[in-house]
Amino acid sequence: MLFEHVLVVGAGQMGGGIAQVLAASGRRVSLHDPYPGASGKAIATMRKSLGRLAEKGAALDPAEVVGRVELVDELARADLMVEAVVEDAAVKQDIFRRADGILPPEAVLASNTSSIPIASLAEATGRPERVIGMHFFNPVPRMKLVEVVRHPGTSAATAAAIVELARELGKTPAEANDFPGFVSNRILMPFINEAVWALHEGVAEPEAIDTIATLGFNHPMGPLALADLIGLDTCVSIMEVLRTGLSDSRYEPCPLLREHVAAGRVGRKSGQGFYIY
Ligand code: NAD
């Protein structure tokens, strides 16, 4: 088995989901999040999700899977780190710098970032050849895709190992180069932002915008509901990375998106965004 012990940093909606699929694959997981309550909430969500999967016939024992996840107060030694903290380059760079000093030199350091160039994280370490993007999708246990992002210094061996890990987790890897937003969010985020502009300018109500996308484009979910699922704070951060990284003002986040974030209405995780939960 590749990467038998994995350190997951950040126990939000993504970190919790990533820890779950790694543990369900038989791996030992150390989960670190310094914010009070975050890890406990992640474990509770994991129990619920695993319980649902077991009821539907998945061959797993929820207690055994959760038992493979250990909560740690500090960054810990492991074969692989998957970082899934807030979409903020400075916070992520600090974690990569610290992880480089703690994890053994042969360990791979991966980021679940949605948009931040991987090279900027690799620069914070002394092992750029072992730094890579491993971008899961939300909700992690259900979504099949992993976008694997190599920066110019990522070694072929590191990329091959992460592609193989994605397959071992039952996911489908797709490789992308290191541009702001990679492939997924370069396409998705401007689409979401345009839907917010349509709402902001009074083109239609949220329900109508989402119905048009679900029935008109055959999307499983409308862009405003999806933005609420992703987190409106994360959407603004990704748009800012696109605007700065691609030097193009068309990626400016819609003011309505910023207004919701400033008011703390960041989507499902706060109970309200474009919809109330
Ligand atoms: P979230 O807000 O649910 O969780 C972020 C977590 O990071 C919180 O629990 C917070 O306590 C923790 N954190 C903050 N600073 C930290 C630090 N210094 N050390 C350790 N933990 C820290 O966010 P999320 O939706 O889970 O997103 C996490 C990452 O995954 C972001 O980079 C985001 O872009 C990416 N991502 C998100 C989605 C999505 O749909 N939400 C999809 C793919 C990738």
Side-chain angles (χ1 to χ4, degrees):
M1 181 193 283
L2 275 164
F3 307 115
E4 285 187 12
H5 178 199
V6 185
L7 167 68
V8 176
V9 186
Q13 42 181 358
M14 294 305 290
I18 293 166
Q20 176 180 328
V21 297
L22 286 164
S25 73
R27 291 174 169 81
R28 200 178 126 216
V29 177
S30 297
L31 179 59
H32 170 65
D33 193 307
Y35 290 89
S39 302
K41 197 171 158 202
I43 296 289
T45 306
M46 215 178 282
R47 280 212 178 90
K48 246 193 244 161
S49 165
L50 289 163
R52 272 197 306 265
L53 289 170
E55 270 168 28
K56 283 189 198 153
L60 55 82
D61 174 348
E64 200 182 300
V65 173
V66 173
R68 280 196 283 273
V69 182
E70 168 203 23
L71 304 183
V72 292
D73 293 337
E74 297 293 339
L75 299 183
R77 286 173 70 82
D79 308 318
L80 165 71
M81 170 182 82
V82 182
E83 166 279 311
V85 307
V86 281
E87 189 72 350
D88 178 317
V91 176
K92 289 185 189 289
Q93 279 157 355
D94 174 58
I95 286 163
F96 273 73
R97 190 173 304 113
R98 289 192 286 129
D100 191 40
I102 292 170
L103 278 83
E106 64 279 9
V108 168
L109 308 180
S111 176
N112 181 54
T113 178
S114 300
S115 61
I116 295 167
I118 304 302
S120 70
L121 306 177
E123 273 167 20
T125 75
R127 63 179 94 186
E129 72 288 354
R130 289 174 194 276
V131 175
I132 193 161
M134 188 175 195
H135 183 203
F136 290 85
F137 287 73
N138 188 9
V140 182
R142 282 228 308 271
M143 295 291 281
K144 285 284 175 216
L145 180 65
V146 174
E147 191 176 30
V148 176
V149 186
R150 291 171 74 156
H151 73 92
T154 305
S155 71
T158 299
I162 293 300
V163 161
E164 187 48 35
L165 172 62
R167 291 207 178 102
E168 284 186 14
L169 299 178
K171 307 294 186 196
T172 301
E175 292 187 66
N177 290 319
D178 196 19
F179 285 77
F182 324 123
V183 173
S184 52
N185 279 305
R186 185 155 176 175
I187 298 172
L188 174 64
M189 241 357 108
F191 171 66
I192 286 179
N193 200 44
E194 202 57 35
V196 183
W197 272 110
L199 176 65
H200 189 53
E201 292 180 356
V203 181
E205 292 299 316
E207 292 79 2
I209 292 171
D210 280 349
T211 301
I212 287 162
T214 50
L215 300 183
F217 317 148
N218 213 10
H219 287 188
M221 193 173 203
L224 300 175
L226 180 56
D228 274 357
L229 175 68
I230 293 169
L232 305 189
D233 50 343
T234 302
C235 292
V236 167
S237 300
I238 295 171
M239 287 303 291
E240 283 173 343
V241 170
L242 291 172
R243 189 198 51 202
T244 314
L246 299 169
S247 310
D248 195 329
S249 58
R250 74 188 150 125
Y251 297 113
E252 175 65 31
C254 175
L256 181 58
L257 209 41
R258 289 193 190 280
E259 229 172 82
H260 278 299
V261 173
R265 296 185 297 266
V266 295
R268 279 195 200 201
K269 62 187 172 187
S270 71
Q272 190 176 350
F274 295 111
Y275 299 96
I276 294 171
Y277 297 91

PDB file of all heavy atoms in Angstrom, residues 257-275:
ATOM      1  N   LEU A 257     -21.180  38.690  -3.779  1.00  0.00           N
ATOM      2  CA  LEU A 257     -20.436  37.585  -3.165  1.00  0.00           C
ATOM      3  C   LEU A 257     -19.664  38.118  -1.951  1.00  0.00           C
ATOM      4  O   LEU A 257     -19.702  37.548  -0.857  1.00  0.00           O
ATOM      5  CB  LEU A 257     -19.476  37.035  -4.222  1.00  0.00           C
ATOM      6  CG  LEU A 257     -19.027  35.585  -4.226  1.00  0.00           C
ATOM      7  CD1 LEU A 257     -20.130  34.611  -3.901  1.00  0.00           C
ATOM      8  CD2 LEU A 257     -18.406  35.252  -5.585  1.00  0.00           C
ATOM      9  N   ARG A 258     -19.001  39.243  -2.142  1.00  0.00           N
ATOM     10  CA  ARG A 258     -18.239  39.845  -1.034  1.00  0.00           C
ATOM     11  C   ARG A 258     -19.159  40.264   0.110  1.00  0.00           C
ATOM     12  O   ARG A 258     -18.814  40.125   1.276  1.00  0.00           O
ATOM     13  CB  ARG A 258     -17.489  41.090  -1.533  1.00  0.00           C
ATOM     14  CG  ARG A 258     -16.322  40.789  -2.447  1.00  0.00           C
ATOM     15  CD  ARG A 258     -15.499  42.065  -2.590  1.00  0.00           C
ATOM     16  NE  ARG A 258     -14.487  41.975  -3.607  1.00  0.00           N
ATOM     17  CZ  ARG A 258     -13.302  41.380  -3.448  1.00  0.00           C
ATOM     18  NH1 ARG A 258     -13.005  40.815  -2.296  1.00  0.00           N
ATOM     19  NH2 ARG A 258     -12.432  41.354  -4.426  1.00  0.00           N
ATOM     20  N   GLU A 259     -20.350  40.807  -0.253  1.00  0.00           N
ATOM     21  CA  GLU A 259     -21.313  41.261   0.768  1.00  0.00           C
ATOM     22  C   GLU A 259     -21.725  40.092   1.673  1.00  0.00           C
ATOM     23  O   GLU A 259     -21.756  40.232   2.894  1.00  0.00           O
ATOM     24  CB  GLU A 259     -22.570  41.741   0.035  1.00  0.00           C
ATOM     25  CG  GLU A 259     -23.100  43.081   0.442  1.00  0.00           C
ATOM     26  CD  GLU A 259     -24.210  43.459  -0.526  1.00  0.00           C
ATOM     27  OE1 GLU A 259     -25.351  42.989  -0.327  1.00  0.00           O
ATOM     28  OE2 GLU A 259     -23.923  44.205  -1.509  1.00  0.00           O
ATOM     29  N   HIS A 260     -22.043  38.956   1.062  1.00  0.00           N
ATOM     30  CA  HIS A 260     -22.432  37.778   1.854  1.00  0.00           C
ATOM     31  C   HIS A 260     -21.294  37.345   2.781  1.00  0.00           C
ATOM     32  O   HIS A 260     -21.518  37.030   3.940  1.00  0.00           O
ATOM     33  CB  HIS A 260     -22.824  36.617   0.942  1.00  0.00           C
ATOM     34  CG  HIS A 260     -24.231  36.692   0.437  1.00  0.00           C
ATOM     35  ND1 HIS A 260     -25.323  36.690   1.257  1.00  0.00           N
ATOM     36  CD2 HIS A 260     -24.733  36.771  -0.820  1.00  0.00           C
ATOM     37  CE1 HIS A 260     -26.431  36.763   0.547  1.00  0.00           C
ATOM     38  NE2 HIS A 260     -26.104  36.819  -0.733  1.00  0.00           N
ATOM     39  N   VAL A 261     -20.071  37.344   2.251  1.00  0.00           N
ATOM     40  CA  VAL A 261     -18.929  36.891   3.057  1.00  0.00           C
ATOM     41  C   VAL A 261     -18.710  37.855   4.230  1.00  0.00           C
ATOM     42  O   VAL A 261     -18.526  37.429   5.372  1.00  0.00           O
ATOM     43  CB  VAL A 261     -17.651  36.760   2.193  1.00  0.00           C
ATOM     44  CG1 VAL A 261     -16.440  36.449   3.065  1.00  0.00           C
ATOM     45  CG2 VAL A 261     -17.839  35.661   1.146  1.00  0.00           C
ATOM     46  N   ALA A 262     -18.780  39.178   3.950  1.00  0.00           N
ATOM     47  CA  ALA A 262     -18.572  40.180   5.002  1.00  0.00           C
ATOM     48  C   ALA A 262     -19.614  40.029   6.116  1.00  0.00           C
ATOM     49  O   ALA A 262     -19.333  40.262   7.289  1.00  0.00           O
ATOM     50  CB  ALA A 262     -18.613  41.581   4.406  1.00  0.00           C
ATOM     51  N   ALA A 263     -20.835  39.593   5.727  1.00  0.00           N
ATOM     52  CA  ALA A 263     -21.908  39.433   6.719  1.00  0.00           C
ATOM     53  C   ALA A 263     -21.864  38.063   7.395  1.00  0.00           C
ATOM     54  O   ALA A 263     -22.723  37.744   8.220  1.00  0.00           O
ATOM     55  CB  ALA A 263     -23.261  39.635   6.037  1.00  0.00           C
ATOM     56  N   GLY A 264     -20.889  37.219   7.025  1.00  0.00           N
ATOM     57  CA  GLY A 264     -20.770  35.898   7.654  1.00  0.00           C
ATOM     58  C   GLY A 264     -21.694  34.852   7.040  1.00  0.00           C
ATOM     59  O   GLY A 264     -21.794  33.738   7.548  1.00  0.00           O
ATOM     60  N   ARG A 265     -22.387  35.224   5.944  1.00  0.00           N
ATOM     61  CA  ARG A 265     -23.272  34.244   5.278  1.00  0.00           C
ATOM     62  C   ARG A 265     -22.449  33.524   4.213  1.00  0.00           C
ATOM     63  O   ARG A 265     -22.494  33.872   3.034  1.00  0.00           O
ATOM     64  CB  ARG A 265     -24.457  34.967   4.627  1.00  0.00           C
ATOM     65  CG  ARG A 265     -25.388  35.681   5.593  1.00  0.00           C
ATOM     66  CD  ARG A 265     -26.598  36.273   4.873  1.00  0.00           C
ATOM     67  NE  ARG A 265     -26.216  37.296   3.920  1.00  0.00           N
ATOM     68  CZ  ARG A 265     -26.174  38.601   4.163  1.00  0.00           C
ATOM     69  NH1 ARG A 265     -26.499  39.068   5.355  1.00  0.00           N
ATOM     70  NH2 ARG A 265     -25.811  39.446   3.215  1.00  0.00           N
ATOM     71  N   VAL A 266     -21.667  32.516   4.671  1.00  0.00           N
ATOM     72  CA  VAL A 266     -20.713  31.906   3.736  1.00  0.00           C
ATOM     73  C   VAL A 266     -21.211  30.600   3.127  1.00  0.00           C
ATOM     74  O   VAL A 266     -20.453  29.876   2.504  1.00  0.00           O
ATOM     75  CB  VAL A 266     -19.316  31.712   4.382  1.00  0.00           C
ATOM     76  CG1 VAL A 266     -18.683  33.051   4.723  1.00  0.00           C
ATOM     77  CG2 VAL A 266     -19.387  30.821   5.613  1.00  0.00           C
ATOM     78  N   GLY A 267     -22.522  30.323   3.293  1.00  0.00           N
ATOM     79  CA  GLY A 267     -23.063  29.112   2.666  1.00  0.00           C
ATOM     80  C   GLY A 267     -23.469  28.080   3.695  1.00  0.00           C
ATOM     81  O   GLY A 267     -23.691  28.408   4.858  1.00  0.00           O
ATOM     82  N   ARG A 268     -23.546  26.831   3.242  1.00  0.00           N
ATOM     83  CA  ARG A 268     -24.042  25.742   4.118  1.00  0.00           C
ATOM     84  C   ARG A 268     -23.311  25.675   5.443  1.00  0.00           C
ATOM     85  O   ARG A 268     -23.917  25.396   6.469  1.00  0.00           O
ATOM     86  CB  ARG A 268     -23.832  24.403   3.424  1.00  0.00           C
ATOM     87  CG  ARG A 268     -24.898  24.115   2.433  1.00  0.00           C
ATOM     88  CD  ARG A 268     -24.838  22.660   2.064  1.00  0.00           C
ATOM     89  NE  ARG A 268     -25.535  22.486   0.800  1.00  0.00           N
ATOM     90  CZ  ARG A 268     -26.021  21.331   0.392  1.00  0.00           C
ATOM     91  NH1 ARG A 268     -25.875  20.256   1.130  1.00  0.00           N
ATOM     92  NH2 ARG A 268     -26.643  21.248  -0.756  1.00  0.00           N
ATOM     93  N   LYS A 269     -21.983  25.859   5.420  1.00  0.00           N
ATOM     94  CA  LYS A 269     -21.230  25.662   6.665  1.00  0.00           C
ATOM     95  C   LYS A 269     -21.591  26.695   7.728  1.00  0.00           C
ATOM     96  O   LYS A 269     -21.345  26.461   8.902  1.00  0.00           O
ATOM     97  CB  LYS A 269     -19.717  25.588   6.396  1.00  0.00           C
ATOM     98  CG  LYS A 269     -19.074  26.809   5.794  1.00  0.00           C
ATOM     99  CD  LYS A 269     -17.604  26.547   5.424  1.00  0.00           C
ATOM    100  CE  LYS A 269     -17.023  27.718   4.643  1.00  0.00           C
ATOM    101  NZ  LYS A 269     -15.681  27.446   4.141  1.00  0.00           N
ATOM    102  N   SER A 270     -22.202  27.835   7.336  1.00  0.00           N
ATOM    103  CA  SER A 270     -22.624  28.830   8.331  1.00  0.00           C
ATOM    104  C   SER A 270     -24.153  28.850   8.469  1.00  0.00           C
ATOM    105  O   SER A 270     -24.700  29.655   9.215  1.00  0.00           O
ATOM    106  CB  SER A 270     -22.130  30.224   7.932  1.00  0.00           C
ATOM    107  OG  SER A 270     -22.853  30.676   6.800  1.00  0.00           O
ATOM    108  N   GLY A 271     -24.834  27.987   7.714  1.00  0.00           N
ATOM    109  CA  GLY A 271     -26.300  27.914   7.802  1.00  0.00           C
ATOM    110  C   GLY A 271     -27.016  28.826   6.826  1.00  0.00           C
ATOM    111  O   GLY A 271     -28.231  28.730   6.658  1.00  0.00           O
ATOM    112  N   GLN A 272     -26.300  29.746   6.187  1.00  0.00           N
ATOM    113  CA  GLN A 272     -26.944  30.636   5.215  1.00  0.00           C
ATOM    114  C   GLN A 272     -25.950  31.146   4.190  1.00  0.00           C
ATOM    115  O   GLN A 272     -24.795  31.452   4.516  1.00  0.00           O
ATOM    116  CB  GLN A 272     -27.573  31.840   5.932  1.00  0.00           C
ATOM    117  CG  GLN A 272     -28.465  32.660   5.018  1.00  0.00           C
ATOM    118  CD  GLN A 272     -29.178  33.799   5.733  1.00  0.00           C
ATOM    119  OE1 GLN A 272     -29.164  33.879   6.963  1.00  0.00           O
ATOM    120  NE2 GLN A 272     -29.777  34.686   4.972  1.00  0.00           N
ATOM    121  N   GLY A 273     -26.416  31.222   2.954  1.00  0.00           N
ATOM    122  CA  GLY A 273     -25.632  31.818   1.869  1.00  0.00           C
ATOM    123  C   GLY A 273     -26.643  32.421   0.927  1.00  0.00           C
ATOM    124  O   GLY A 273     -27.397  33.309   1.315  1.00  0.00           O
ATOM    125  N   PHE A 274     -26.733  31.894  -0.296  1.00  0.00           N
ATOM    126  CA  PHE A 274     -27.827  32.314  -1.181  1.00  0.00           C
ATOM    127  C   PHE A 274     -29.136  31.688  -0.716  1.00  0.00           C
ATOM    128  O   PHE A 274     -30.209  32.176  -1.022  1.00  0.00           O
ATOM    129  CB  PHE A 274     -27.507  31.938  -2.631  1.00  0.00           C
ATOM    130  CG  PHE A 274     -26.320  32.699  -3.142  1.00  0.00           C
ATOM    131  CD1 PHE A 274     -25.120  32.058  -3.413  1.00  0.00           C
ATOM    132  CD2 PHE A 274     -26.378  34.074  -3.304  1.00  0.00           C
ATOM    133  CE1 PHE A 274     -24.013  32.764  -3.860  1.00  0.00           C
ATOM    134  CE2 PHE A 274     -25.276  34.800  -3.734  1.00  0.00           C
ATOM    135  CZ  PHE A 274     -24.103  34.141  -4.018  1.00  0.00           C
ATOM    136  N   TYR A 275     -29.037  30.595   0.013  1.00  0.00           N
ATOM    137  CA  TYR A 275     -30.199  29.905   0.588  1.00  0.00           C
ATOM    138  C   TYR A 275     -30.009  29.771   2.097  1.00  0.00           C
ATOM    139  O   TYR A 275     -28.896  29.922   2.602  1.00  0.00           O
ATOM    140  CB  TYR A 275     -30.352  28.503  -0.027  1.00  0.00           C
ATOM    141  CG  TYR A 275     -30.570  28.515  -1.527  1.00  0.00           C
ATOM    142  CD1 TYR A 275     -29.493  28.337  -2.405  1.00  0.00           C
ATOM    143  CD2 TYR A 275     -31.836  28.711  -2.072  1.00  0.00           C
ATOM    144  CE1 TYR A 275     -29.689  28.343  -3.785  1.00  0.00           C
ATOM    145  CE2 TYR A 275     -32.043  28.725  -3.452  1.00  0.00           C
ATOM    146  CZ  TYR A 275     -30.962  28.541  -4.304  1.00  0.00           C
ATOM    147  OH  TYR A 275     -31.157  28.558  -5.655  1.00  0.00           O
TER     148      TYR A 275
END
